[in-house]
Amino acid sequence: MPSMDRRDFVNWLGLGACALVAGSAQAQAARRPNILYMMSDDHAAHAISAYGSRVNQTPNIDRLATGGMRFNHIYATNSICTPSRATILTGQYSHVNGVPVFNPLPNDRPVVSEMMQAAGYWTSMVGKWHLGSDPRGFDQWEILPGQGAYVDPMLYNAQGRKKYTGHCTDVVTDIALGFLKDRPRDKPFFSMVHHKAPHRNWIPAERHAAAWRDKVIPEPDTLFDDYAGRADAIRNQKQSIARDLTPTDVKQAPPAGLAGDDLTRWKYQRYMQDYLACVQGVDESVGRILDWLDTEGLADNTLVIYTSDQGFFLGDHGLFDKRFMYEESDQMPFLARWPGHITPNRQCDALGINCDFAPTFLEVAGRPTPPTMQGRSLVQWMEGRKIEDWRDSFYYRYYHDPGDHNTAAQYGVRTNTHKLIYFWRLDQWECYDLTKDPKELRNIYHDPAAQPVVAKLKAELARLKKEVGDTEDRYARNEDWPKGGVDGGPRPIRP
Ligand code: CA
């Protein structure tokens, strides 16, 4: 019989006692932990004060860090909205789940919400879905069409559509709380709350816009990165603050006479004022939901997660979007609070990916990870127990080229210390030593001294490609992309 440490024993004793007290299988099921999963769109970790933000304060999101665990190294496996959302729901890489670009999630793809329902959970989904097909596996859902609108948004469900008055972040929060208040009480809940904010073009509620209008935001060290020594991808991109922010983005004409670096600085301020004001709205929403959990006495038995579908450049490398495998755009904030399981104020450095989310939900529900999923549950990390055979590298692949912002197709490997990126259409490589160069400014790919580490990383990349089943380079040719777009082309979503 495997040995049981004291913690396991206490847990076992606790569960046994619950079963006795509850006295029925139904009551026992209702005592299983709830999961409240809050995800925003394009919220970079470095715009959360719990992650050491230099540019803003997020006191409510920070409550999850002080009351729980801050994961320092969780990454998107394909850093854009639709593919990341598909990966979160399926636990699979883009080349496996069939969503490499902005194409609909195939309707026959098993999703974690259906599995949570089958496990006896009541499930709900509100807000930005962006998967080009209706949600499956949710007892209650109401979503924005495509990107949705910031102001007076329309949302729809299987019964029809409704136009709301107000800011999208407030509307989504109201609907989410309404669903939770009306939920059945004999089941635990699995609730996904997906904000549109702070996605481009960053329209905050007026109360937050007013608070940020005159603030001066510190500039990132790499705002004027000269891209020396890098592959052509970063020179060819069209997501530069200086060149590519539009009048719609900055919402007012620049002061007369501004040019060059001064104009870039002005655009950065306008961009960040609106972006951070949108983040403040999301932070307020998190506060409302956490307060509600407290009021209802649900906080102790609920795993609360806050994350974003990927990261975002906040002027880092002079940029404002995502897609690149660089840290700022690929890292997902991931904060988890779960009293009794997660010791307050902890951090975790394990290398996690968005394929891990679905297995995590399932383990909380007492279900094993299906063999078709490509991630692993984070629950043991949350509970402070090291997983000895955990991954020490992960595979990344971005396909949408040509696509928005002219970002070059790329794949690569990140380890705990290094990153190797291959821009396969350009046949150019970048390699970074993250221990010495965390801002990824010095490409060491061609350095003679780096050749042993480059060779090791190439071998690891080949191993990972085999492990995740990307040896045939599915979707490497654009003509192989699944047909039908989410944002362009035929739109299969209702209405
Ligand atoms: Ca996104």
Side-chain angles (χ1 to χ4, degrees):
M1 183 178 158
S3 66
M4 189 181 269
D5 68 16
R6 192 180 165 278
R7 191 189 174 108
D8 288 339
F9 181 72
V10 170
N11 284 341
W12 174 83
L13 199 63
L15 287 172
C18 285
L20 282 176
V21 172
S24 77
Q26 194 188 39
Q28 196 182 354
R31 290 190 63 84
R32 283 188 292 165
N34 306 301
I35 300 175
L36 187 50
Y37 176 87
M38 294 181 279
M39 181 165 80
S40 52
D41 194 344
D42 297 356
H43 188 182
H46 54 312
I48 293 176
S49 35
Y51 279 92
S53 170
R54 298 167 60 238
V55 293
N56 67 336
Q57 294 292 318
T58 49
N60 292 297
I61 295 171
D62 291 5
R63 285 160 68 181
L64 299 177
T66 50
M69 182 172 274
R70 184 184 98 183
F71 284 81
N72 293 330
H73 294 292
I74 304 273
Y75 296 91
T77 46
N78 181 358
S79 176
I80 35 172
C81 301
T82 300
S84 180
R85 286 152 198 269
T87 290
I88 288 165
L89 286 161
T90 60
Q92 296 172 329
Y93 270 87
S94 303
H95 64 275
V96 175
N97 66 27
V99 189
V101 291
F102 289 97
N103 61 280
L105 177 66
N107 270 324
D108 60 353
R109 193 66 47 187
V111 285
V112 69
S113 44
E114 293 173 325
M115 298 172 202
M116 295 298 284
Q117 256 183 343
Y121 273 65
W122 175 83
T123 59
S124 69
M125 160 70 216
V126 183
K128 183 169 171 182
W129 178 248
H130 209 208
L131 281 165
S133 47
D134 286 348
R136 286 177 285 123
F138 293 99
D139 294 295
Q140 286 272 18
W141 60 267
E142 192 165 351
I143 60 173
L144 296 158
Q147 296 282 4
Y150 265 116
V151 180
D152 298 339
M154 186 268 284
L155 284 91
Y156 70 98
N157 60 19
Q159 285 75 48
R161 64 177 80 177
K162 183 174 173 186
K163 191 170 164 65
Y164 291 83
T165 304
H167 191 269
C168 190
T169 304
D170 298 328
V171 169
V172 165
T173 310
D174 290 341
I175 299 172
L177 287 172
F179 281 0
L180 284 165
K181 286 169 187 165
D182 291 342
R183 76 192 189 283
R185 302 304 160 107
D186 60 344
K187 288 180 173 182
F189 64 79
F190 169 66
S191 188
M192 301 185 101
V193 183
H194 291 192
H195 286 298
K196 168 183 174 57
H199 190 281
R200 194 186 188 190
N201 63 335
W202 317 294
I203 300 177
E206 183 47 39
R207 63 188 189 278
H208 300 129
W212 283 86
R213 194 158 288 138
D214 299 318
K215 286 202 180 164
V216 178
I217 322 294
E219 292 171 3
D221 299 338
T222 60
L223 182 60
F224 296 102
D225 186 354
D226 63 4
Y227 307 149
R230 251 67 64 73
D232 290 333
I234 198 162
R235 279 178 289 275
N236 295 345
Q237 49 68 31
K238 289 192 165 52
Q239 50 172 298
S240 122
I241 301 247
R243 291 190 318 253
D244 303 310
L245 276 179
T246 67
T248 310
D249 292 326
V250 296
K251 305 173 194 79
Q252 58 180 269
L258 271 191
D261 287 355
D262 288 341
L263 181 58
T264 302
R265 290 196 158 99
W266 179 87
K267 285 181 166 186
Y268 168 79
Q269 292 297 328
R270 280 300 307 125
Y271 154 48
M272 286 297 283
Q273 285 162 352
D274 286 347
Y275 178 94
L276 294 173
C278 284
V279 167
Q280 196 178 333
V282 172
D283 186 66
E284 204 175 274
S285 164
V286 171
R288 282 182 64 197
I289 290 172
L290 294 182
D291 288 349
W292 180 81
L293 287 173
D294 289 343
T295 307
E296 295 293 310
L298 291 166
D300 281 348
N301 196 33
T302 302
L303 165 61
V304 183
I305 291 168
Y306 181 82
T307 186
S308 167
D309 58 348
Q310 6 70 205
F312 214 64
F313 294 112
L314 307 179
D316 317 284
H317 302 291
L319 308 181
F320 66 83
D321 198 73
K322 57 251 183 183
R323 301 158 197 272
F324 280 98
M325 199 185 161
Y326 302 139
E327 289 295 286
E328 298 90 348
S329 66
D330 196 27
Q331 186 193 354
M332 307 166 85
F334 195 92
L335 299 161
R337 188 187 76 180
W338 190 12
H341 292 265
I342 302 176
T343 308
N345 223 0
R346 295 288 292 272
Q347 293 185 31
C348 179
D349 286 320
L351 210 47
I353 53 177
N354 49 357
C355 298
D356 298 334
F357 296 7
T360 303
F361 304 150
L362 289 170
E363 183 169 0
V364 173
R367 290 291 185 272
T369 302
T372 49
M373 286 189 180
Q374 297 181 289
R376 295 178 67 178
S377 169
L378 299 165
V379 165
Q380 276 195 52
W381 291 114
M382 290 179 180
E383 295 181 334
R385 294 180 286 143
K386 186 165 194 266
I387 304 175
E388 294 295 341
D389 62 347
W390 191 254
R391 72 174 73 82
D392 49 20
S393 66
F394 77 90
Y395 178 63
Y396 177 90
R397 185 157 194 162
Y398 170 80
Y399 300 83
H400 202 221
D401 170 16
D404 305 322
H405 300 294
N406 198 39
T407 306
Q410 57 197 274
Y411 63 75
V413 54
R414 189 202 193 280
T415 69
N416 289 309
T417 56
H418 288 80
K419 190 179 291 181
L420 180 72
I421 309 173
Y422 181 50
F423 299 96
W424 79 79
R425 297 227 161 93
L426 304 171
D427 191 21
Q428 292 180 8
W429 296 81
E430 290 180 356
C431 183
Y432 297 99
D433 180 340
L434 301 170
T435 61
K436 294 180 186 152
D437 178 27
K439 294 192 188 297
E440 297 163 306
L441 294 167
R442 212 174 94 67
N443 176 17
I444 60 170
Y445 181 77
H446 296 290
D447 284 12
Q451 292 318 299
V453 75
V454 167
K456 269 177 75 175
L457 288 164
K458 282 191 172 174
E460 181 62 3
L461 180 58
R463 188 195 70 76
L464 281 171
K465 275 176 83 82
K466 201 169 165 189
E467 183 180 277
V468 305
D470 196 28
T471 47
E472 291 170 19
D473 286 330
R474 200 175 174 204
Y475 308 134
R477 301 183 318 156
N478 295 10
E479 51 267 43
D480 298 331
W481 288 354
K483 299 295 176 277
V486 173
D487 280 340
R491 179 170 291 187
I493 56 166
R494 298 181 285 178

